[in-house]
Amino acid sequence: MTDHYDMPDARGHFGPYGGIFVAETLMPAITELNQAYQRYLQDPEFIAELDADLRDYVGRPSPLYHAQRWSQALGGAQIYLKREDLNHTGAHKVNNTVGQALLAKRMGKTRIIAETGAGQHGVATATVAARLGLECVVYMGAVDVARQALNVYRMKLLGATVVAVESGSKTLKDALNEALRDWVTHIDDTFYIIGTVAGPHPYPAMVRDFQAVIGREAKQQCLAQTGRLPDALVACVGGGSNAIGLFYPFIDDESVKFYGVEAAGDGIATGRHSAPLSAGRPGVLHGNRTYLMADDDGEIIETHSISAGLDYPGVGPEHAWLKDIGRADYVSITDDEALQGFHALTRMEGIIPALESSHALAYAAKLAPTLGKDRIIVVNLSGRGDKDMHTIMQREGIRL
Amino acid sequence: MSRLDHTFAQLKTSGRKALIPFITAGDPEPGFTVPMLHDMVKAGADIIELGVPFSDPMADGPVIQRASERALAHRVGLRKTLAMATEFRKTNQTTPLVLMGYLNPIEIMGYEDFANAAQRADIDGVLTVDLPPEESAECVALLRARGIDQIFLLAPNTSAERVRKMDEVGSGYLYYVSLKGVTGAGHLDTRDVAEKLALIRQNTALPVGVGFGVKDAETAETLAGFADGVVIGSALISKIEAHLDDPGRARSEIITLLASIRHAIDR
């Protein structure tokens, strides 16, 4: 590690990862977006507008909450929760959509498209589009449409058109494919709000920069509440935007360990999982080079996770790089373990977490007892669990 | 001189334009492909683009997406596509064969292993939809060292500067995507294509093929007026899709359509 982390390079590379791997028609739009991103993230007026939106519309800063009862029960490190679930729309996704929507407005785009898995990013996009009066189309795999019906309805209420994608595995990756097809067809007037730190450069860096507000706040709050930095950060990783948002502002603080938690689904050994960093290999998908779940022919393998938001065969390229250089550890949590984490937090702290975030909680519950009581773990509670009620009831055979 | 250079040079001498059909390897089933390649040559194909099935064909419209899905259902991927190319070459040593697909299968095989395998299969060109020139140096060098051309796509919104970049990095020919959209999409405006091609030619001496949205002989004939080659894909694959229960009929309809296009572009 150098003293100061400075990634990506000018062409969007994180070591061998990242870059721009897209069809030629997208190149001018990506260049235009990159110029706008470089310009406005230095622009005090833009930053002031973004900060005001994050404060007055999103409700930031989100609290850093000491989960005392749960920490005590686990008998080890003190667990602090970064409460992204308390944001407007119920997850961290809105930090990014507010930012990208402001960019879209500055760039004169009149139409917004997005892909979504669990529907949180779709809802967060439909929300900002409604607020700015922009047309909004959200692509969502048909499987996800079925398992996240509540979010589909929210998006429709907000005025978005939700397109159920029937191709491939009918999940998040196919929604991304379809959004890219839309973008290439409506390249002149359309802004594509990607929901995670994947896609071609500048998306991985840009989404990180919009989400880094999570880590900046957490750092200040931890210092204010405890007088020191945390020992470990824990966040779930699908594409990896909430994780990178928490990690990034701590990246030069070498005493702070990073744990990214992937979805092990039925278990890594079963092959039915969504854990490319734990059990995948480098390849190219959706505009960047990163770890992927692919077979020997380079075909993308179908993924599985109880959590729609983690059900993705790739991961943001910066996570691939942080893994290779050893700055972050990537671990995994099964569906069953995530459910245990879900119930534990609900019963111990009165907070119902999203299934995605439950993966991070479940790992924190494993990590905490291995550390002393004076240690501090910050877990990114990236979203609230209301959207998952149906999934959990079904899984646990509950009828009301 | 590469087989592609030779083909374009010959066409130029005889004042003809290249007919470049595209089909997806393994669609609708693996046994269909190699005989179809030979039949397309007989029907007048000068160059063939052979699609490598991919699970996530981001730049393709529904017709070619479904072709990929049918081929993948038979587990046809990059390796089997290369085997089909090898089989084709046993009885055809003259028609250039271009692999068209996405980067990930090549990444997973490894660039060098892929270049070697493509050389063994006697492939003439590789067109990778999601590999822009900026990221292509390593792949291009390995292919070029083995006499294989890397073919790049140009789009309606590609700047003159980028055309010059493709001219520098690419070889064989350039493939002009005639519309902003996915393969097999709606309306191709031949006047727009003519204007754009004039600009492209100021920046490259490479032959330019035009494709995406070529549906009939009439469009092909107009395009042949200013392009060096006409690529036709989705329209052929639609024939396969229309007769999934009768591949023989799909084959004869593809031959008929190609022959009519051959006739039209030679007018």
Side-chain angles (χ1 to χ4, degrees):
Chain A
M1 288 287 303
T2 52
D3 292 331
H4 179 61
Y5 178 90
D6 186 20
M7 286 287 196
D9 69 16
R11 285 168 52 213
H13 293 124
F14 302 88
Y17 304 109
I20 301 175
F21 294 90
V22 295
E24 183 58 27
T25 314
L26 293 180
M27 290 300 292
I30 284 167
T31 305
E32 184 192 355
L33 173 63
N34 195 25
Q35 285 164 352
Y37 154 69
Q38 301 294 347
R39 174 180 161 197
Y40 289 116
L41 262 73
Q42 316 285 334
D43 174 12
E45 226 173 274
F46 180 88
I47 298 296
E49 193 176 344
L50 176 62
D51 287 348
D53 278 357
L54 289 174
R55 184 186 64 232
D56 303 330
Y57 188 68
V58 175
R60 304 203 70 90
S62 68
L64 183 72
Y65 166 70
H66 185 190
Q68 275 178 300
R69 188 159 176 260
W70 193 41
S71 302
Q72 203 163 21
L74 292 167
Q78 302 306 307
I79 297 178
Y80 285 75
L81 304 175
K82 181 59 176 163
R83 298 290 309 274
E84 293 300 300
D85 60 317
L86 294 177
N87 292 339
H88 179 43
T89 72
H92 73 289
K93 292 294 186 187
V94 72
N95 302 326
N96 169 49
T97 60
V98 161
Q100 288 200 48
L102 286 182
L103 264 187
K105 205 172 77 174
R106 292 281 199 292
M107 291 168 71
K109 302 292 181 182
T110 56
R111 185 173 174 271
I112 299 282
I113 59 169
E115 85 294 338
T116 197
Q120 290 303 105
H121 174 59
V123 167
T125 303
T127 297
V128 296
R131 179 172 174 242
L132 297 177
L134 300 171
E135 184 192 348
C136 179
V137 178
V138 179
Y139 292 92
M140 188 168 186
V143 169
D144 294 334
V145 167
R147 62 178 163 177
Q148 301 286 345
L150 197 61
N151 272 342
V152 174
Y153 185 57
R154 290 167 82 194
M155 286 183 266
K156 288 183 177 170
L157 280 176
L158 290 159
T161 303
V162 180
V163 180
V165 178
E166 298 283 353
S167 57
S169 61
K170 305 177 193 191
T171 59
L172 179 54
K173 79 173 176 73
D174 310 284
L176 233 149
N177 292 337
E178 208 54 42
L180 286 167
R181 291 181 190 119
D182 178 308
W183 198 22
V184 88
T185 309
H186 303 99
I187 196 89
D188 297 326
D189 66 346
T190 296
F191 190 105
Y192 180 14
I193 300 189
I194 293 186
T196 192
V197 285
H201 179 67
Y203 284 102
M206 179 173 69
V207 175
R208 174 196 72 193
D209 290 347
F210 286 135
Q211 291 294 0
V213 66
I214 301 172
R216 285 197 302 272
E217 287 176 6
K219 196 173 191 173
Q220 278 181 359
Q221 290 165 323
C222 190
L223 286 168
Q225 291 180 30
T226 72
R228 64 186 196 83
L229 290 175
D231 298 288
L233 306 177
V234 181
C236 65
V237 176
S241 69
N242 90 79
I244 218 80
L246 177 64
F247 295 171
Y248 185 61
F250 292 92
I251 208 150
D252 292 328
D253 301 312
E254 287 182 44
S255 68
V256 183
K257 287 193 148 190
F258 299 169
Y259 296 95
V261 186
E262 294 191 298
D266 291 342
I268 298 285
T270 66
R272 282 175 49 77
H273 60 81
S274 304
L277 290 167
S278 306
R281 49 175 140 189
V284 167
L285 182 69
H286 295 149
N288 67 95
R289 183 180 287 120
T290 187
Y291 280 81
L292 296 175
M293 291 181 50
D295 69 14
D296 289 343
D297 254 335
E299 308 296 346
I300 304 304
I301 298 171
E302 280 193 28
T303 53
H304 167 78
S305 169
I306 190 173
S307 132
L310 303 183
D311 207 346
Y312 180 65
V315 62
E318 191 161 18
H319 287 294
W321 175 241
L322 295 180
K323 171 190 161 79
D324 280 13
I325 63 172
R327 179 64 186 91
D329 280 338
Y330 293 91
V331 295
S332 64
I333 283 291
T334 64
D335 288 354
D336 287 340
E337 292 171 323
L339 278 169
Q340 285 170 26
F342 170 88
H343 286 299
L345 195 77
T346 302
R347 295 299 291 268
M348 299 293 294
E349 297 288 350
I351 298 171
I352 301 179
L355 280 174
E356 289 77 12
S357 322
S358 298
H359 286 73
L361 294 164
Y363 187 75
K366 285 187 180 179
L367 182 65
T370 70
L371 301 173
K373 289 186 179 172
D374 58 339
R375 298 304 179 100
I376 296 169
I377 300 173
V378 171
V379 181
N380 200 358
L381 185 49
S382 54
R384 68 181 187 220
D386 310 42
K387 70 183 175 59
D388 296 313
M389 292 301 102
H390 184 69
T391 303
I392 291 161
M393 283 168 68
Q394 229 175 12
R395 170 106 176 184
E396 300 185 343
I398 294 161
R399 281 200 198 158
L400 295 181
Chain B
M1 191 184 240
S2 79
R3 216 182 255 125
L4 279 167
D5 293 342
H6 181 73
T7 299
F8 277 109
Q10 272 199 327
L11 286 164
K12 196 167 187 182
T13 311
S14 58
R16 295 166 75 224
K17 301 302 173 74
L19 174 59
I20 312 175
F22 168 97
I23 59 168
T24 299
D27 174 39
E29 47 89 23
F32 184 86
T33 305
V34 175
M36 189 75 251
L37 298 180
H38 288 300
D39 286 345
M40 292 197 298
V41 173
K42 277 182 226 150
D46 299 295
I47 296 163
I48 293 174
E49 291 181 354
L50 184 58
V52 182
F54 184 50
S55 51
D56 295 81
M58 291 150 278
D60 284 299
V63 171
I64 295 180
Q65 288 175 43
R66 289 192 294 262
S68 253
E69 285 178 14
R70 286 191 294 271
L72 288 170
H74 290 281
R75 308 201 65 77
V76 176
L78 180 54
R79 282 178 178 75
K80 286 187 184 165
T81 304
L82 285 162
M84 289 175 190
T86 305
E87 186 65 27
F88 172 73
R89 270 286 170 262
K90 284 182 183 166
T91 50
N92 180 321
Q93 283 84 45
T94 53
T95 308
L97 198 57
V98 173
L99 289 187
M100 181 166 181
Y102 294 81
L103 185 57
N104 197 52
I106 297 174
E107 284 265 329
I108 297 291
M109 184 179 277
Y111 287 175
E112 191 157 7
D113 285 354
F114 169 71
N116 289 335
Q119 185 180 30
R120 280 195 301 274
D122 208 356
I123 294 293
D124 300 286
V126 176
L127 200 171
T128 313
V129 176
D130 52 351
L131 182 64
E134 288 83 351
E135 299 282 359
S136 71
E138 190 187 346
C139 200
V140 167
L142 287 163
L143 291 174
R144 183 163 291 171
R146 290 159 181 78
I148 301 169
D149 294 310
Q150 179 89 44
I151 290 135
F152 287 95
L153 295 171
L154 301 172
N157 53 357
T158 301
S159 66
E161 188 194 343
R162 286 189 65 79
V163 177
R164 287 193 290 275
K165 193 174 281 179
M166 316 275 187
D167 176 69
E168 233 169 75
V169 185
S171 56
Y173 61 100
L174 295 172
Y175 182 146
Y176 178 65
V177 173
S178 62
L179 45 81
K180 295 173 187 166
V182 293
T183 52
H187 306 289
L188 179 164
D189 184 332
T190 50
R191 204 180 325 169
D192 277 1
V193 177
E195 273 174 29
K196 186 67 193 184
L197 239 60
L199 285 172
I200 289 170
R201 291 203 191 279
Q202 291 172 10
N203 294 289
T204 182
L206 284 170
V208 182
V210 177
F212 277 44
V214 181
K215 288 195 166 65
D216 49 41
E218 195 189 341
T219 315
E221 182 182 352
T222 312
L223 291 177
F226 36 84
D228 300 299
V230 177
V231 185
I232 182 155
S234 296
L236 302 181
I237 291 173
S238 294
K239 303 289 184 194
I240 293 177
E241 196 160 68
H243 304 294
L244 287 174
D245 51 347
D246 187 358
R249 182 153 173 215
R251 183 184 310 283
S252 66
E253 289 196 7
I254 288 173
I255 293 167
T256 307
L257 178 58
L258 272 185
S260 74
I261 292 175
R262 173 82 267 168
H263 182 72
I265 66 176
D266 286 344
R267 266 203 285 266

